[in-house]
Each structure stands twice: as structure tokens, then as C-alpha cells.
Amino acid sequence: MKIALVTGAGRGIGREVARQLAEHGMTVFAGVRDESHAPEGTRPVLLDVTDAATAANAAKVVGDEYGRLDVLVNNAAICGDYGVAPAEATAEHMRATYEVNVFGVVTVTHAMIPLLRASGEGTIVNMTTRLASIGLTIAGDDFNSGWPMLAYNSSKSALNALTVLYANELRASGITVNAVDPGLCATDMTGHTGDRQAAEGAAVIVRMATLGADGPTGTFSSQEGPTPW
Ligand SMILES: NC(=O)c1ccc[n+]([C@@H]2O[C@H](COP(=O)([O-])OP(=O)(O)OC[C@H]3O[C@@H](n4cnc5c(N)ncnc54)[C@H](OP(=O)(O)O)[C@@H]3O)[C@@H](O)[C@H]2O)c1
């Protein structure tokens, strides 16, 4: 049986990813800041991605029992500058956002890499967004032009860069690392705008998380296929 960990699994898309991975028969650790929010069928583990001690403890909990981790979904994120124009965004917006979306991912990934190596066919899925695409932003893409958020968008561009660097190194350990965009979903982050429900966005993530060792690595994609970097 495969062992999975999902960060930010208490609500939104992450909660659905955790629930669906459990439906796939995986043992799922739901990384949450409030254990009562973990979805049914999962095992709650306290995890604030900005707190390295909680990440180390989560690795110990998984490692002590299973000695490996097969699937890591880096889902937890914040959008700290929703509706803030680039010229109005401050370094504080950047720090707060990068703390979770970039440094948080590194904190958790760094803690889990030994367990992912032990899997022999580990998979990391980093939750990104179309807004991270510098190519689409340069091209004047309508969606990206409508949401020019300095902190959030660039934090996810940084996450995409991390994805490629991790993918290149970890390929030799049989670990795949991909950045996946769930598409615009109606969650707290988006003020519940968008036609797509969290469960539909989660399905895009779960598909990549369940491809196994034969799946691609170092890619950026959505339900529609590859997304320009
Ligand atoms: N919604 C969309 O349309 C959309 C589109 C593209 C990409 N995404 C990406 O999809 C992912 C999920 O988004 P969402 O819409 O589900 O967001 P959401 O509803 O706002 O949920 C965010 C999740 O992140 C967790 N979180 C925030 N800070 C954390 C921290 N320091 N430590 C641990 N967990 C933390 C929250 O936990 P608490 O409950 O404890 O606060 C919550 O579970 C994000 O990476 C987002 O960037 C979303």
C-alpha cells in the first residue's frame, strides 16, 4: 500500500486530494494545523509548513511507522496579495507569501526527501497555477493579465523553478517531481469564484500523484496538458 502526505489537507483542494488519494487505497497522512479538520479516512498529522519542527515531527511519525513516503503533495499555500496591484505590493506581502508558498515547500520537502528516497518510486506534486507562467504573462494571456499579483504569482514561479531543480537531482533516486495546476476552483482562496469545484481540481492533482514511476518528471501541466513555463 502506498503512503501519502498532503499539506494543507484540512480544507479546499488539499482536503479533496487527501480524500481522493485515500479512495485510491493509499494510507494518507493529512497535514493539518487543526487535527479535527482532517477528512474521514485519513490520518491527521500536525503540520504548519512554516514551522520546521512540525515538518520534522511529521517525517518522524511517517518514518517510524512505514520507513518511507511514496507520495508528497505540496498543497498548502496562501495568496497574500489578492487584488493588490504590483505597484502597491510591499516586501511584507512578498515575505508572508514566500514564507508559505516557497520556504514552506522547501521545509517540508527537505524533511521528506529521505523517506521519498526510501520509497524507490517516490512522487512529489507541487501545486502551482497558470499565473506562475512567465511565458503566458509575457504573451498577454487574458487570465494572467487579469490577476497580476506580484507576491502570489512570483512565489509560484519560484515553486516551478524548485520543481525542475528537485526533479533533475532526484531522478536518480527514482523520484518524480512535477508542478500541476488544478485550474480555477471555488475555494476560500478564490472567494469561491470559478465554476470548478475543489474535487474537480483535486482530480487533476491525484492523476499526476498516482502515475507512479513511469510518470513524467520536471513538468508543468494542467488538465489541458503542458503549460508554458
Ligand atoms: N483555488 C484555485 O483556484 C487554485 C488555482 C490554482 C492553484 N491553486 C493552488 O492550490 C492549492 C490549494 O488552494 P485552495 O484554493 O484549496 O486554498 P485554500 O482553500 O485557501 O486552502 C489553503 C490551505 O493551505 C493551508 N495552509 C495555509 N498556510 C499554511 C501553513 N502555514 N501551514 C500549513 N497549511 C497551511 C490551509 O490550512 P488552514 O486551514 O490551517 O488555514 C488550507 O488547508 C494552493 O497551493 C493554491 O495555490 C488553487
Side-chain angles (χ1 to χ4, degrees), residues 7-15 31-34 37 47-51 74-79 99-101 127-130 152 156 159 180-190 192-193 198:
T7 68
R11 62 188 163 99
I13 303 169
R15 190 169 205 279
V32 285
R33 293 192 287 185
D34 178 336
H37 292 169
L47 181 53
D48 180 329
V49 302
T50 67
D51 180 348
N74 284 311
N75 161 81
I78 61 166
C79 179
E99 197 62 54
V100 180
N101 300 7
M127 306 264 298
T128 190
T129 164
R130 177 184 184 88
Y152 179 74
K156 294 291 186 173
L159 175 65
V180 184
D181 168 17
L184 180 64
C185 297
T187 64
D188 292 342
M189 183 176 282
T190 58
H192 294 269
T193 56

mmCIF file of all heavy atoms in Angstrom, residues 7-15 31-34 37 47-51 74-79 99-101 127-130 152 156 159 180-190 192-193 198, ligand 1:
data_model
loop_
_atom_site.group_PDB
_atom_site.id
_atom_site.type_symbol
_atom_site.label_atom_id
_atom_site.label_comp_id
_atom_site.label_asym_id
_atom_site.label_seq_id
_atom_site.Cartn_x
_atom_site.Cartn_y
_atom_site.Cartn_z
ATOM 1 N N THR A 7 -0.045 18.365 2.338
ATOM 2 C CA THR A 7 -0.014 19.527 3.238
ATOM 3 C C THR A 7 -1.278 20.365 3.021
ATOM 4 O O THR A 7 -1.860 20.378 1.933
ATOM 5 C CB THR A 7 1.244 20.396 2.992
ATOM 6 O OG1 THR A 7 1.149 21.020 1.697
ATOM 7 C CG2 THR A 7 2.518 19.573 3.078
ATOM 8 N N GLY A 8 -1.704 21.058 4.070
ATOM 9 C CA GLY A 8 -2.902 21.897 3.955
ATOM 10 C C GLY A 8 -4.130 21.076 3.625
ATOM 11 O O GLY A 8 -4.974 21.479 2.815
ATOM 12 N N ALA A 9 -4.256 19.922 4.271
ATOM 13 C CA ALA A 9 -5.310 18.959 3.906
ATOM 14 C C ALA A 9 -6.614 19.162 4.675
ATOM 15 O O ALA A 9 -7.499 18.317 4.611
ATOM 16 C CB ALA A 9 -4.799 17.536 4.114
ATOM 17 N N GLY A 10 -6.737 20.276 5.378
ATOM 18 C CA GLY A 10 -7.928 20.482 6.196
ATOM 19 C C GLY A 10 -9.090 21.138 5.474
ATOM 20 O O GLY A 10 -10.233 21.096 5.938
ATOM 21 N N ARG A 11 -8.804 21.799 4.349
ATOM 22 C CA ARG A 11 -9.896 22.438 3.588
ATOM 23 C C ARG A 11 -9.455 22.638 2.135
ATOM 24 O O ARG A 11 -8.301 22.383 1.780
ATOM 25 C CB ARG A 11 -10.323 23.773 4.221
ATOM 26 C CG ARG A 11 -9.246 24.836 4.262
ATOM 27 C CD ARG A 11 -9.711 26.047 5.098
ATOM 28 N NE ARG A 11 -8.569 26.880 5.466
ATOM 29 C CZ ARG A 11 -8.214 27.984 4.833
ATOM 30 N NH1 ARG A 11 -8.944 28.425 3.817
ATOM 31 N NH2 ARG A 11 -7.153 28.669 5.203
ATOM 32 N N GLY A 12 -10.411 23.095 1.334
ATOM 33 C CA GLY A 12 -10.103 23.424 -0.053
ATOM 34 C C GLY A 12 -9.682 22.216 -0.882
ATOM 35 O O GLY A 12 -10.094 21.073 -0.638
ATOM 36 N N ILE A 13 -8.820 22.477 -1.874
ATOM 37 C CA ILE A 13 -8.417 21.422 -2.809
ATOM 38 C C ILE A 13 -7.605 20.346 -2.086
ATOM 39 O O ILE A 13 -7.740 19.153 -2.364
ATOM 40 C CB ILE A 13 -7.606 22.033 -3.980
ATOM 41 C CG1 ILE A 13 -8.427 23.119 -4.697
ATOM 42 C CG2 ILE A 13 -7.198 20.952 -4.983
ATOM 43 C CD1 ILE A 13 -7.625 23.960 -5.691
ATOM 44 N N GLY A 14 -6.770 20.755 -1.137
ATOM 45 C CA GLY A 14 -5.924 19.803 -0.414
ATOM 46 C C GLY A 14 -6.730 18.749 0.320
ATOM 47 O O GLY A 14 -6.352 17.569 0.375
ATOM 48 N N ARG A 15 -7.848 19.178 0.892
ATOM 49 C CA ARG A 15 -8.718 18.235 1.613
ATOM 50 C C ARG A 15 -9.250 17.185 0.635
ATOM 51 O O ARG A 15 -9.300 15.990 0.950
ATOM 52 C CB ARG A 15 -9.872 19.008 2.258
ATOM 53 C CG ARG A 15 -10.707 18.210 3.211
ATOM 54 C CD ARG A 15 -11.650 19.134 3.995
ATOM 55 N NE ARG A 15 -12.024 18.540 5.259
ATOM 56 C CZ ARG A 15 -12.978 17.634 5.400
ATOM 57 N NH1 ARG A 15 -13.666 17.244 4.361
ATOM 58 N NH2 ARG A 15 -13.234 17.114 6.590
ATOM 59 N N GLY A 31 -1.772 16.505 6.452
ATOM 60 C CA GLY A 31 -1.051 17.565 7.157
ATOM 61 C C GLY A 31 -2.001 18.717 7.442
ATOM 62 O O GLY A 31 -2.537 19.325 6.516
ATOM 63 N N VAL A 32 -2.251 18.967 8.724
ATOM 64 C CA VAL A 32 -3.246 19.980 9.107
ATOM 65 C C VAL A 32 -2.734 20.805 10.291
ATOM 66 O O VAL A 32 -1.869 20.344 11.041
ATOM 67 C CB VAL A 32 -4.597 19.328 9.510
ATOM 68 C CG1 VAL A 32 -5.370 18.842 8.296
ATOM 69 C CG2 VAL A 32 -4.384 18.172 10.489
ATOM 70 N N ARG A 33 -3.289 22.009 10.430
ATOM 71 C CA ARG A 33 -2.957 22.818 11.608
ATOM 72 C C ARG A 33 -3.987 22.615 12.710
ATOM 73 O O ARG A 33 -3.775 23.069 13.839
ATOM 74 C CB ARG A 33 -2.837 24.292 11.210
ATOM 75 C CG ARG A 33 -1.640 24.520 10.299
ATOM 76 C CD ARG A 33 -1.337 25.970 10.124
ATOM 77 N NE ARG A 33 -2.314 26.642 9.265
ATOM 78 C CZ ARG A 33 -2.202 27.894 8.884
ATOM 79 N NH1 ARG A 33 -1.171 28.618 9.278
ATOM 80 N NH2 ARG A 33 -3.116 28.438 8.088
ATOM 81 N N ASP A 34 -5.116 21.973 12.351
ATOM 82 C CA ASP A 34 -6.151 21.618 13.332
ATOM 83 C C ASP A 34 -6.581 20.190 12.995
ATOM 84 O O ASP A 34 -7.179 19.957 11.939
ATOM 85 C CB ASP A 34 -7.324 22.592 13.208
ATOM 86 C CG ASP A 34 -8.463 22.263 14.161
ATOM 87 O OD1 ASP A 34 -8.581 21.091 14.587
ATOM 88 O OD2 ASP A 34 -9.248 23.177 14.473
ATOM 89 N N HIS A 37 -9.832 18.902 11.397
ATOM 90 C CA HIS A 37 -10.199 19.218 10.014
ATOM 91 C C HIS A 37 -9.781 18.155 9.001
ATOM 92 O O HIS A 37 -10.099 18.266 7.816
ATOM 93 C CB HIS A 37 -9.591 20.576 9.605
ATOM 94 C CG HIS A 37 -10.205 21.728 10.332
ATOM 95 N ND1 HIS A 37 -9.675 22.999 10.300
ATOM 96 C CD2 HIS A 37 -11.305 21.805 11.125
ATOM 97 C CE1 HIS A 37 -10.422 23.803 11.048
ATOM 98 N NE2 HIS A 37 -11.407 23.104 11.557
ATOM 99 N N LEU A 47 0.938 19.824 11.022
ATOM 100 C CA LEU A 47 1.970 20.306 10.114
ATOM 101 C C LEU A 47 1.671 21.744 9.699
ATOM 102 O O LEU A 47 0.740 22.020 8.941
ATOM 103 C CB LEU A 47 2.040 19.392 8.871
ATOM 104 C CG LEU A 47 3.080 19.723 7.806
ATOM 105 C CD1 LEU A 47 4.476 19.865 8.398
ATOM 106 C CD2 LEU A 47 3.088 18.653 6.723
ATOM 107 N N ASP A 48 2.483 22.662 10.262
ATOM 108 C CA ASP A 48 2.485 24.049 9.793
ATOM 109 C C ASP A 48 3.745 24.169 8.958
ATOM 110 O O ASP A 48 4.864 24.013 9.472
ATOM 111 C CB ASP A 48 2.528 25.010 10.988
ATOM 112 C CG ASP A 48 2.523 26.472 10.548
ATOM 113 O OD1 ASP A 48 3.057 26.780 9.458
ATOM 114 O OD2 ASP A 48 2.011 27.311 11.307
ATOM 115 N N VAL A 49 3.591 24.419 7.664
ATOM 116 C CA VAL A 49 4.744 24.346 6.762
ATOM 117 C C VAL A 49 5.796 25.420 7.056
ATOM 118 O O VAL A 49 6.924 25.317 6.575
ATOM 119 C CB VAL A 49 4.319 24.390 5.265
ATOM 120 C CG1 VAL A 49 3.364 23.244 4.948
ATOM 121 C CG2 VAL A 49 3.716 25.733 4.890
ATOM 122 N N THR A 50 5.420 26.432 7.847
ATOM 123 C CA THR A 50 6.397 27.468 8.210
ATOM 124 C C THR A 50 7.176 27.089 9.471
ATOM 125 O O THR A 50 8.024 27.847 9.926
ATOM 126 C CB THR A 50 5.708 28.833 8.441
ATOM 127 O OG1 THR A 50 4.881 28.741 9.612
ATOM 128 C CG2 THR A 50 4.875 29.254 7.237
ATOM 129 N N ASP A 51 6.878 25.930 10.025
ATOM 130 C CA ASP A 51 7.478 25.505 11.291
ATOM 131 C C ASP A 51 8.253 24.192 11.055
ATOM 132 O O ASP A 51 7.672 23.116 10.963
ATOM 133 C CB ASP A 51 6.346 25.306 12.316
ATOM 134 C CG ASP A 51 6.855 24.864 13.679
ATOM 135 O OD1 ASP A 51 8.034 24.494 13.787
ATOM 136 O OD2 ASP A 51 6.046 24.881 14.619
ATOM 137 N N ASN A 74 2.583 18.933 -2.121
ATOM 138 C CA ASN A 74 2.802 20.247 -1.509
ATOM 139 C C ASN A 74 1.669 21.170 -1.945
ATOM 140 O O ASN A 74 1.739 21.829 -2.988
ATOM 141 C CB ASN A 74 4.166 20.811 -1.945
ATOM 142 C CG ASN A 74 5.312 20.142 -1.223
ATOM 143 O OD1 ASN A 74 5.292 20.012 0.005
ATOM 144 N ND2 ASN A 74 6.332 19.725 -1.956
ATOM 145 N N ASN A 75 0.615 21.164 -1.130
ATOM 146 C CA ASN A 75 -0.611 21.898 -1.472
ATOM 147 C C ASN A 75 -0.752 23.209 -0.703
ATOM 148 O O ASN A 75 -1.252 24.194 -1.239
ATOM 149 C CB ASN A 75 -1.811 20.986 -1.186
ATOM 150 C CG ASN A 75 -3.113 21.762 -1.059
ATOM 151 O OD1 ASN A 75 -3.743 22.119 -2.044
ATOM 152 N ND2 ASN A 75 -3.517 22.075 0.175
ATOM 153 N N ALA A 76 -0.302 23.245 0.559
ATOM 154 C CA ALA A 76 -0.537 24.418 1.420
ATOM 155 C C ALA A 76 0.026 25.682 0.781
ATOM 156 O O ALA A 76 1.155 25.696 0.295
ATOM 157 C CB ALA A 76 0.112 24.196 2.781
ATOM 158 N N ALA A 77 -0.777 26.718 0.761
ATOM 159 C CA ALA A 77 -0.329 27.993 0.188
ATOM 160 C C ALA A 77 -1.250 29.100 0.668
ATOM 161 O O ALA A 77 -2.359 28.833 1.150
ATOM 162 C CB ALA A 77 -0.347 27.928 -1.344
ATOM 163 N N ILE A 78 -0.772 30.319 0.524
ATOM 164 C CA ILE A 78 -1.635 31.483 0.753
ATOM 165 C C ILE A 78 -1.514 32.423 -0.448
ATOM 166 O O ILE A 78 -0.523 32.396 -1.175
ATOM 167 C CB ILE A 78 -1.277 32.256 2.049
ATOM 168 C CG1 ILE A 78 0.161 32.789 1.994
ATOM 169 C CG2 ILE A 78 -1.488 31.382 3.285
ATOM 170 C CD1 ILE A 78 0.449 33.816 3.069
ATOM 171 N N CYS A 79 -2.544 33.217 -0.615
ATOM 172 C CA CYS A 79 -2.490 34.273 -1.622
ATOM 173 C C CYS A 79 -2.547 35.573 -0.837
ATOM 174 O O CYS A 79 -3.624 36.026 -0.458
ATOM 175 C CB CYS A 79 -3.665 34.152 -2.586
ATOM 176 S SG CYS A 79 -3.639 35.441 -3.825
ATOM 177 N N GLU A 99 6.959 32.825 2.558
ATOM 178 C CA GLU A 99 7.151 32.017 3.779
ATOM 179 C C GLU A 99 6.397 30.688 3.667
ATOM 180 O O GLU A 99 6.916 29.639 4.033
ATOM 181 C CB GLU A 99 6.646 32.821 4.994
ATOM 182 C CG GLU A 99 7.130 32.330 6.319
ATOM 183 C CD GLU A 99 8.644 32.396 6.487
ATOM 184 O OE1 GLU A 99 9.232 33.473 6.302
ATOM 185 O OE2 GLU A 99 9.219 31.337 6.775
ATOM 186 N N VAL A 100 5.177 30.746 3.133
ATOM 187 C CA VAL A 100 4.368 29.522 2.993
ATOM 188 C C VAL A 100 4.627 28.844 1.645
ATOM 189 O O VAL A 100 4.952 27.654 1.583
ATOM 190 C CB VAL A 100 2.855 29.859 3.125
ATOM 191 C CG1 VAL A 100 2.011 28.589 2.978
ATOM 192 C CG2 VAL A 100 2.567 30.554 4.450
ATOM 193 N N ASN A 101 4.501 29.610 0.559
ATOM 194 C CA ASN A 101 4.449 29.012 -0.782
ATOM 195 C C ASN A 101 5.811 28.528 -1.296
ATOM 196 O O ASN A 101 5.861 27.671 -2.176
ATOM 197 C CB ASN A 101 3.890 30.023 -1.787
ATOM 198 C CG ASN A 101 2.485 30.481 -1.442
ATOM 199 O OD1 ASN A 101 1.960 30.149 -0.389
ATOM 200 N ND2 ASN A 101 1.874 31.259 -2.312
ATOM 201 N N MET A 127 1.722 22.038 -6.067
ATOM 202 C CA MET A 127 0.504 22.686 -6.578
ATOM 203 C C MET A 127 0.838 24.092 -7.041
ATOM 204 O O MET A 127 1.184 24.962 -6.243
ATOM 205 C CB MET A 127 -0.536 22.769 -5.473
ATOM 206 C CG MET A 127 -0.823 21.431 -4.828
ATOM 207 S SD MET A 127 -2.223 20.575 -5.470
ATOM 208 C CE MET A 127 -3.552 21.672 -5.119
ATOM 209 N N THR A 128 0.697 24.291 -8.351
ATOM 210 C CA THR A 128 1.033 25.585 -8.914
ATOM 211 C C THR A 128 -0.195 26.176 -9.592
ATOM 212 O O THR A 128 -1.322 25.725 -9.345
ATOM 213 C CB THR A 128 2.245 25.449 -9.863
ATOM 214 O OG1 THR A 128 2.701 26.744 -10.233
ATOM 215 C CG2 THR A 128 1.893 24.656 -11.115
ATOM 216 N N THR A 129 0.004 27.170 -10.410
ATOM 217 C CA THR A 129 -1.091 27.872 -11.055
ATOM 218 C C THR A 129 -0.642 28.386 -12.413
ATOM 219 O O THR A 129 0.554 28.635 -12.616
ATOM 220 C CB THR A 129 -1.562 29.061 -10.185
ATOM 221 O OG1 THR A 129 -2.349 29.943 -10.991
ATOM 222 C CG2 THR A 129 -0.389 29.864 -9.634
ATOM 223 N N ARG A 130 -1.591 28.550 -13.282
ATOM 224 C CA ARG A 130 -1.336 29.175 -14.585
ATOM 225 C C ARG A 130 -0.670 30.557 -14.403
ATOM 226 O O ARG A 130 0.123 30.992 -15.225
ATOM 227 C CB ARG A 130 -2.714 29.321 -15.243
ATOM 228 C CG ARG A 130 -2.761 30.001 -16.554
ATOM 229 C CD ARG A 130 -4.230 30.138 -16.984
ATOM 230 N NE ARG A 130 -4.276 30.712 -18.322
ATOM 231 C CZ ARG A 130 -4.233 29.992 -19.439
ATOM 232 N NH1 ARG A 130 -4.187 28.686 -19.389
ATOM 233 N NH2 ARG A 130 -4.254 30.602 -20.617
ATOM 234 N N TYR A 152 1.968 36.449 -4.994
ATOM 235 C CA TYR A 152 1.449 35.092 -5.240
ATOM 236 C C TYR A 152 2.000 34.508 -6.546
ATOM 237 O O TYR A 152 2.543 33.395 -6.553
ATOM 238 C CB TYR A 152 -0.082 35.112 -5.270
ATOM 239 C CG TYR A 152 -0.700 33.753 -5.535
ATOM 240 C CD1 TYR A 152 -0.707 32.768 -4.546
ATOM 241 C CD2 TYR A 152 -1.268 33.442 -6.768
ATOM 242 C CE1 TYR A 152 -1.261 31.520 -4.779
ATOM 243 C CE2 TYR A 152 -1.835 32.196 -7.013
ATOM 244 C CZ TYR A 152 -1.824 31.237 -6.014
ATOM 245 O OH TYR A 152 -2.379 29.994 -6.257
ATOM 246 N N LYS A 156 4.789 31.297 -7.017
ATOM 247 C CA LYS A 156 4.529 30.038 -7.723
ATOM 248 C C LYS A 156 5.499 29.854 -8.887
ATOM 249 O O LYS A 156 5.828 28.712 -9.251
ATOM 250 C CB LYS A 156 3.066 29.982 -8.180
ATOM 251 C CG LYS A 156 2.054 29.930 -7.015
ATOM 252 C CD LYS A 156 2.105 28.601 -6.266
ATOM 253 C CE LYS A 156 1.009 28.499 -5.212
ATOM 254 N NZ LYS A 156 0.934 27.171 -4.590
ATOM 255 N N LEU A 159 8.301 28.393 -7.173
ATOM 256 C CA LEU A 159 7.990 26.979 -6.903
ATOM 257 C C LEU A 159 8.230 26.135 -8.164
ATOM 258 O O LEU A 159 8.758 25.016 -8.080
ATOM 259 C CB LEU A 159 6.531 26.855 -6.444
ATOM 260 C CG LEU A 159 6.004 25.431 -6.229
ATOM 261 C CD1 LEU A 159 6.721 24.735 -5.080
ATOM 262 C CD2 LEU A 159 4.494 25.459 -5.965
ATOM 263 N N VAL A 180 1.771 21.029 -10.889
ATOM 264 C CA VAL A 180 0.456 20.808 -11.500
ATOM 265 C C VAL A 180 -0.511 21.903 -11.078
ATOM 266 O O VAL A 180 -0.603 22.256 -9.895
ATOM 267 C CB VAL A 180 -0.105 19.416 -11.121
ATOM 268 C CG1 VAL A 180 -1.415 19.160 -11.850
ATOM 269 C CG2 VAL A 180 0.895 18.312 -11.463
ATOM 270 N N ASP A 181 -1.224 22.425 -12.080
ATOM 271 C CA ASP A 181 -2.217 23.485 -11.882
ATOM 272 C C ASP A 181 -3.608 22.850 -11.821
ATOM 273 O O ASP A 181 -4.044 22.243 -12.807
ATOM 274 C CB ASP A 181 -2.110 24.449 -13.079
ATOM 275 C CG ASP A 181 -3.261 25.442 -13.154
ATOM 276 O OD1 ASP A 181 -3.969 25.633 -12.155
ATOM 277 O OD2 ASP A 181 -3.436 26.031 -14.244
ATOM 278 N N PRO A 182 -4.311 22.986 -10.685
ATOM 279 C CA PRO A 182 -5.636 22.360 -10.595
ATOM 280 C C PRO A 182 -6.707 23.101 -11.382
ATOM 281 O O PRO A 182 -7.820 22.600 -11.543
ATOM 282 C CB PRO A 182 -5.944 22.426 -9.088
ATOM 283 C CG PRO A 182 -5.191 23.632 -8.611
ATOM 284 C CD PRO A 182 -3.934 23.698 -9.442
ATOM 285 N N GLY A 183 -6.378 24.307 -11.872
ATOM 286 C CA GLY A 183 -7.389 25.135 -12.539
ATOM 287 C C GLY A 183 -8.135 25.977 -11.518
ATOM 288 O O GLY A 183 -8.048 25.734 -10.307
ATOM 289 N N LEU A 184 -8.838 26.971 -12.005
ATOM 290 C CA LEU A 184 -9.552 27.891 -11.107
ATOM 291 C C LEU A 184 -10.692 27.162 -10.402
ATOM 292 O O LEU A 184 -11.625 26.685 -11.045
ATOM 293 C CB LEU A 184 -10.107 29.080 -11.903
ATOM 294 C CG LEU A 184 -10.878 30.118 -11.102
ATOM 295 C CD1 LEU A 184 -9.974 30.811 -10.081
ATOM 296 C CD2 LEU A 184 -11.516 31.154 -12.024
ATOM 297 N N CYS A 185 -10.592 27.056 -9.081
ATOM 298 C CA CYS A 185 -11.586 26.324 -8.289
ATOM 299 C C CYS A 185 -12.235 27.239 -7.254
ATOM 300 O O CYS A 185 -11.588 28.151 -6.719
ATOM 301 C CB CYS A 185 -10.923 25.166 -7.539
ATOM 302 S SG CYS A 185 -10.201 23.921 -8.599
ATOM 303 N N ALA A 186 -13.490 26.956 -6.965
ATOM 304 C CA ALA A 186 -14.236 27.728 -5.972
ATOM 305 C C ALA A 186 -13.822 27.291 -4.568
ATOM 306 O O ALA A 186 -14.306 26.282 -4.064
ATOM 307 C CB ALA A 186 -15.734 27.522 -6.185
ATOM 308 N N THR A 187 -12.872 28.026 -3.974
ATOM 309 C CA THR A 187 -12.399 27.724 -2.611
ATOM 310 C C THR A 187 -12.293 29.041 -1.840
ATOM 311 O O THR A 187 -12.533 30.121 -2.385
ATOM 312 C CB THR A 187 -10.989 27.082 -2.642
ATOM 313 O OG1 THR A 187 -10.071 28.041 -3.174
ATOM 314 C CG2 THR A 187 -10.954 25.809 -3.474
ATOM 315 N N ASP A 188 -11.875 28.924 -0.581
ATOM 316 C CA ASP A 188 -11.677 30.141 0.219
ATOM 317 C C ASP A 188 -10.681 31.076 -0.470
ATOM 318 O O ASP A 188 -10.835 32.305 -0.448
ATOM 319 C CB ASP A 188 -11.138 29.777 1.614
ATOM 320 C CG ASP A 188 -12.173 29.022 2.449
ATOM 321 O OD1 ASP A 188 -13.377 29.080 2.104
ATOM 322 O OD2 ASP A 188 -11.766 28.378 3.440
ATOM 323 N N MET A 189 -9.622 30.473 -1.089
ATOM 324 C CA MET A 189 -8.571 31.296 -1.697
ATOM 325 C C MET A 189 -9.109 32.199 -2.798
ATOM 326 O O MET A 189 -8.641 33.320 -2.986
ATOM 327 C CB MET A 189 -7.453 30.406 -2.256
ATOM 328 C CG MET A 189 -6.298 31.204 -2.823
ATOM 329 S SD MET A 189 -4.934 30.182 -3.382
ATOM 330 C CE MET A 189 -4.143 29.762 -1.841
ATOM 331 N N THR A 190 -10.078 31.715 -3.545
ATOM 332 C CA THR A 190 -10.610 32.487 -4.684
ATOM 333 C C THR A 190 -11.917 33.194 -4.331
ATOM 334 O O THR A 190 -12.603 33.689 -5.230
ATOM 335 C CB THR A 190 -10.869 31.550 -5.888
ATOM 336 O OG1 THR A 190 -11.792 30.533 -5.468
ATOM 337 C CG2 THR A 190 -9.589 30.919 -6.376
ATOM 338 N N HIS A 192 -14.457 31.752 -3.495
ATOM 339 C CA HIS A 192 -15.471 30.846 -4.054
ATOM 340 C C HIS A 192 -15.979 31.307 -5.414
ATOM 341 O O HIS A 192 -17.144 31.122 -5.751
ATOM 342 C CB HIS A 192 -16.603 30.605 -3.039
ATOM 343 C CG HIS A 192 -16.097 29.855 -1.836
ATOM 344 N ND1 HIS A 192 -16.107 28.492 -1.747
ATOM 345 C CD2 HIS A 192 -15.482 30.315 -0.717
ATOM 346 C CE1 HIS A 192 -15.533 28.123 -0.603
ATOM 347 N NE2 HIS A 192 -15.144 29.214 0.031
ATOM 348 N N THR A 193 -15.060 31.873 -6.222
ATOM 349 C CA THR A 193 -15.388 32.148 -7.618
ATOM 350 C C THR A 193 -14.884 30.981 -8.468
ATOM 351 O O THR A 193 -14.013 30.234 -8.047
ATOM 352 C CB THR A 193 -14.721 33.439 -8.121
ATOM 353 O OG1 THR A 193 -13.309 33.327 -7.910
ATOM 354 C CG2 THR A 193 -15.254 34.663 -7.404
ATOM 355 N N ALA A 198 -13.689 22.125 -5.827
ATOM 356 C CA ALA A 198 -12.394 21.659 -5.318
ATOM 357 C C ALA A 198 -12.133 20.210 -5.721
ATOM 358 O O ALA A 198 -10.999 19.844 -6.056
ATOM 359 C CB ALA A 198 -12.355 21.804 -3.798
HETATM 360 N N1 LIG B 1 -8.326 27.638 -5.854
HETATM 361 C C1 LIG B 1 -7.791 27.808 -7.048
HETATM 362 O O1 LIG B 1 -8.459 28.254 -7.990
HETATM 363 C C2 LIG B 1 -6.348 27.449 -7.299
HETATM 364 C C3 LIG B 1 -5.858 27.580 -8.605
HETATM 365 C C4 LIG B 1 -4.532 27.237 -8.862
HETATM 366 C C5 LIG B 1 -3.728 26.772 -7.834
HETATM 367 N N2 LIG B 1 -4.230 26.659 -6.571
HETATM 368 C C6 LIG B 1 -3.343 26.136 -5.528
HETATM 369 O O2 LIG B 1 -3.977 25.034 -4.925
HETATM 370 C C7 LIG B 1 -3.576 24.923 -3.559
HETATM 371 C C8 LIG B 1 -4.800 24.874 -2.664
HETATM 372 O O3 LIG B 1 -5.545 26.067 -2.849
HETATM 373 P P1 LIG B 1 -7.011 26.250 -2.242
HETATM 374 O O4 LIG B 1 -7.765 27.053 -3.220
HETATM 375 O O5 LIG B 1 -7.530 24.963 -1.763
HETATM 376 O O6 LIG B 1 -6.667 27.200 -0.992
HETATM 377 P P2 LIG B 1 -7.454 27.441 0.384
HETATM 378 O O7 LIG B 1 -8.859 26.991 0.267
HETATM 379 O O8 LIG B 1 -7.160 28.851 0.746
HETATM 380 O O9 LIG B 1 -6.695 26.453 1.389
HETATM 381 C C9 LIG B 1 -5.362 26.684 1.697
HETATM 382 C C10 LIG B 1 -4.835 25.528 2.514
HETATM 383 O O10 LIG B 1 -3.460 25.809 2.831
HETATM 384 C C11 LIG B 1 -3.294 25.640 4.227
HETATM 385 N N3 LIG B 1 -2.235 26.486 4.765
HETATM 386 C C12 LIG B 1 -2.058 27.815 4.636
HETATM 387 N N4 LIG B 1 -0.972 28.203 5.333
HETATM 388 C C13 LIG B 1 -0.454 27.081 5.905
HETATM 389 C C14 LIG B 1 0.655 26.820 6.740
HETATM 390 N N5 LIG B 1 1.471 27.795 7.150
HETATM 391 N N6 LIG B 1 0.895 25.545 7.109
HETATM 392 C C15 LIG B 1 0.078 24.538 6.722
HETATM 393 N N7 LIG B 1 -1.004 24.725 5.954
HETATM 394 C C16 LIG B 1 -1.263 25.992 5.551
HETATM 395 C C17 LIG B 1 -4.639 25.977 4.831
HETATM 396 O O11 LIG B 1 -4.702 25.412 6.129
HETATM 397 P P3 LIG B 1 -5.587 26.061 7.333
HETATM 398 O O12 LIG B 1 -6.972 25.542 7.150
HETATM 399 O O13 LIG B 1 -4.898 25.576 8.552
HETATM 400 O O14 LIG B 1 -5.501 27.561 7.172
HETATM 401 C C18 LIG B 1 -5.579 25.330 3.825
HETATM 402 O O15 LIG B 1 -5.703 23.952 4.082
HETATM 403 C C19 LIG B 1 -2.659 26.107 -3.310
HETATM 404 O O16 LIG B 1 -1.325 25.705 -3.494
HETATM 405 C C20 LIG B 1 -3.063 27.090 -4.384
HETATM 406 O O17 LIG B 1 -2.022 27.996 -4.681
HETATM 407 C C21 LIG B 1 -5.515 26.991 -6.276
#
